[in-house]
Amino acid sequence: MARISVVIPTFRRPDGLRRAVESALAQEGAPDFEVIVVDNAPEGGADRALAGIKDARLTLIAEPNPGVATARNAGWAAAVAPRIAFLDDDEEALPGWLAALDTALTDLGADIVFGPIDTVLPETTPAAHRDFLKGFFARTGPAEDAVLDDYHGCGNSMIAREGLSLTAAPFDAKADQLGGEDDLLFAMLKHKGARFGWASRARVLEYVPESRACLRYALARGFAYGQGPSQSCAARTPPDAPGVIGWMAVGAAQAVAYGAAAGLLWAIRSPRRAAMLDRSVQGLGKLFWGDRFAPRLYGGA
């Protein structure tokens, strides 16, 4: 039986999917692994994208109900291994990626580890915000493997599910169109004492599509990211009302302070203006954390 299941959810990205799958299957130095692709498009199509790839380790399943949490849950349920790695369909795993995740998880005694992400932007990316967008989609961390105090997103991660007592569908389907399903899960696990780690050599490339390589999308996603802390407190049983109020207060302060700074930087056309505006928008997310305010960025939306 495989020791690692690599889960790749996909939604209408045939070129990215093929690149992601080929990079996963090319991994060397890792324990036995399988690759599970979850086709989350109602009309299908992943089979055509993967035509010609013949590998016994590759399994394609269909989950026609569009939604990021539902797709991850389908891959989780289909996985047979005690360790699950997540690779997104816009990512390419570099050589040694899977072995580095597995080694860091073991050596650090962690429950979940995350790896670095380098951004590949399209040539059409606006020059004024190119540096900001490159950093926005990237993920950086310590130069060496290390224990982390906090968590990152699910793409380029590995979870040791045997010690976490998770359900067969650990990602909240309420986040299907909103995203943040990983934040909700990892925040809950942090509250229960889960240990996070950084796999410094588990590097992937993220190919940002033209539709997302713009300030409008980044700010919408930044707002959704900002909602995470408040939503995580509200989702606890019972809800952590003081935590919600605290994060809302932090968000209000951030929105005002960073918003004023962003206005000044915009007036002088500073290259830092987009980053400051992003911080202000994240503050607004903490303040207006309800689902009715959340941008629909995934699934059928």
Side-chain angles (χ1 to χ4, degrees):
M1 184 180 76
R3 182 180 173 187
I4 302 170
S5 295
V6 179
V7 174
I8 306 177
T10 187
F11 185 81
R12 298 173 181 165
R13 282 182 181 160
D15 294 338
L17 173 62
R18 188 175 185 93
R19 180 172 55 224
V21 168
E22 289 179 339
S23 73
L25 291 173
Q27 293 297 306
E28 297 180 350
D32 290 343
F33 67 92
E34 61 174 352
V35 176
I36 299 172
V37 173
V38 182
D39 190 350
N40 199 214
E43 73 280 4
D47 55 338
R48 295 188 294 277
L50 301 178
I53 299 179
K54 305 296 183 182
D55 196 306
R57 298 171 296 175
L58 176 62
T59 300
L60 174 62
I61 64 174
E63 175 44 76
N65 182 26
V68 60
T70 294
R72 293 200 191 281
N73 283 335
W76 183 277
V80 302
R83 296 185 172 188
I84 298 182
F86 282 98
L87 185 70
D88 290 343
D89 65 355
D90 58 358
E91 294 177 335
E92 177 184 5
L94 297 186
W97 164 74
L98 194 58
L101 284 175
D102 184 64
T103 298
L105 194 70
T106 299
D107 291 350
L108 297 172
D111 299 297
I112 305 147
V113 293
F114 307 92
I117 298 174
D118 294 331
T119 308
V120 180
L121 293 172
E123 294 297 326
T124 55
T125 304
H129 304 306
R130 190 175 187 90
D131 288 344
F132 163 70
L133 292 170
K134 193 173 185 67
F136 179 85
F137 290 101
R139 181 192 292 166
T140 59
E144 302 293 335
D145 294 358
V147 173
L148 297 178
D149 293 328
D150 219 333
Y151 50 83
H152 293 281
C154 202
N156 190 13
S157 69
M158 179 179 283
I159 304 174
R161 62 176 174 178
E162 65 266 30
L164 294 176
S165 301
L166 293 171
T167 66
F171 296 97
D172 191 343
K174 292 179 182 178
D176 265 346
Q177 314 303 315
L178 308 175
E181 78 296 338
D182 43 5
D183 288 338
L184 291 172
L185 175 61
F186 295 151
M188 179 271 290
L189 292 174
K190 179 180 179 180
H191 185 63
K192 292 185 175 182
R195 186 179 176 91
F196 301 106
W198 178 254
S200 60
R201 292 175 292 279
R203 189 171 297 276
V204 305
L205 303 178
E206 179 172 339
Y207 292 81
V208 182
E210 188 172 342
S211 61
R212 294 188 174 188
C214 60
L215 192 57
R216 179 178 179 179
Y217 174 82
L219 293 179
R221 189 160 145 180
F223 181 89
Y225 177 77
Q227 288 184 306
S230 299
Q231 290 178 338
S232 297
C233 290
R236 291 177 185 168
T237 306
D240 179 7
V244 173
I245 294 171
W247 279 115
M248 290 178 68
V250 170
Q254 289 177 333
V256 172
Y258 290 131
L264 176 61
L265 293 175
W266 214 277
I268 62 174
R269 309 302 291 175
S270 168
R272 295 179 56 232
R273 62 190 186 274
M276 199 62 66
L277 184 58
D278 175 60
R279 292 183 182 182
S280 176
V281 167
Q282 288 189 38
L284 288 174
K286 295 181 181 70
L287 188 60
F288 298 99
W289 54 271
D291 286 350
R292 63 183 175 136
F293 299 112
R296 269 59 178 169
L297 301 173
Y298 299 93

